[in-house]
Amino acid sequence: PKPASSRIHSIGISLQTPTKGVALGYQGVIMDAITRMLDPEHQLLVTYYYVYDDFPNMRDFIQHVDGVIVVGGVRSDVAEYSRQLGRPYVLIDPGLREIDEHGVMFLIDNVSAIESLVMHLVQLGHQKIGMITGDPLHVVVRERLEIFQTILQRLGLPQHPEWIANTIWSEQSGYEAAMQMLQLPDRPTAILAAN
């Protein structure tokens, strides 16, 4: 439905990307879906790309939009800033699970996702499975790792601390973590990447 007023409403979207200005993978899918839902006569999409934990202008960004959609991210500053400025916000798979009356949150079913991935690897014959995760401050990272470890334990599969690597969600850090794991004398035969 179109807004009653003729005013153009600005919708801000905040994306954490390895390189500023590029939305890939599931972020690109989300951006595409949001773009298709916009009514160009009444809504303007404004994007704020940031790298990892780089939020220098986030408060200013939120101040200049009518509402904000945040995809991922470790810090909860967006929710705090939005509340202070009276702006509605939507969190998609956020780093922290805290919202207030201004916010809405959408979460990925990490249990089903990780279980499906592990079971796929086991069905392929893998018994020694490693995992590359992200920043442990991010609740999604902790959830996915805990689920992974619980499933391995349930299946009676080996677990080794050196088969778990924390990264900064970048392609380069993931590559480096995988290479370190593959250099181990007792290495995993498969690696599950949490992102």
Side-chain angles (χ1 to χ4, degrees):
K2 294 185 178 183
S5 73
S6 61
R7 178 176 179 263
I8 293 180
H9 295 271
S10 59
I11 301 169
I13 184 160
S14 168
L15 293 158
Q16 177 179 330
T17 61
T19 57
K20 290 185 180 181
V22 179
L24 303 170
Y26 91 105
Q27 292 177 336
V29 172
I30 291 169
M31 282 292 291
D32 181 57
I34 292 169
T35 303
R36 283 187 280 113
M37 295 303 297
L38 287 178
D39 175 357
E41 292 181 29
H42 296 93
Q43 296 165 332
L44 171 69
L45 186 65
V46 182
T47 55
Y48 178 90
Y49 297 95
Y50 64 96
V51 178
Y52 190 51
D53 206 17
D54 168 33
F55 284 81
N57 303 308
M58 184 60 79
R59 185 179 174 84
D60 189 51
F61 173 71
I62 294 169
Q63 187 172 344
H64 290 92
V65 295
D66 296 312
V68 66
I69 300 169
V70 182
V71 182
V74 174
R75 293 171 49 181
S76 62
D77 295 356
V78 174
E80 177 64 25
Y81 294 158
S82 295
R83 184 174 63 250
Q84 290 172 4
L85 298 167
R87 303 287 193 276
Y89 62 93
V90 175
L91 304 178
I92 300 174
D93 202 22
L96 299 173
R97 304 293 203 249
E98 300 167 6
I99 60 169
D100 57 29
E101 68 277 2
H102 295 286
V104 175
M105 185 181 331
F106 293 93
L107 303 175
I108 291 172
D109 181 358
N110 287 309
V111 174
S112 295
I114 297 299
E115 186 168 27
S116 294
L117 293 169
V118 170
M119 294 311 296
H120 174 72
L121 294 173
V122 168
Q123 289 168 0
L124 291 174
H126 296 283
Q127 300 285 306
K128 297 163 60 173
I129 304 170
M131 184 173 193
I132 297 175
T133 68
D135 185 335
L137 293 177
H138 199 294
V139 70
V140 170
V141 170
R142 293 192 309 271
E143 283 178 359
R144 292 176 185 171
L145 179 58
E146 288 170 12
I147 294 162
F148 173 75
Q149 291 171 326
T150 298
I151 294 167
L152 291 184
Q153 183 176 19
R154 185 181 78 213
L155 296 173
L157 297 177
Q159 296 188 51
H160 298 284
E162 61 272 16
W163 292 359
I164 305 294
N166 295 322
T167 67
I168 60 168
W169 294 129
S170 73
E171 184 177 335
Q172 183 63 36
S173 67
Y175 172 80
E176 291 168 3
M179 293 308 291
Q180 286 179 350
M181 243 184 263
L182 294 174
Q183 300 296 321
L184 294 169
D186 181 20
R187 64 183 182 210
T189 61
I191 299 172
L192 188 152
N195 184 0

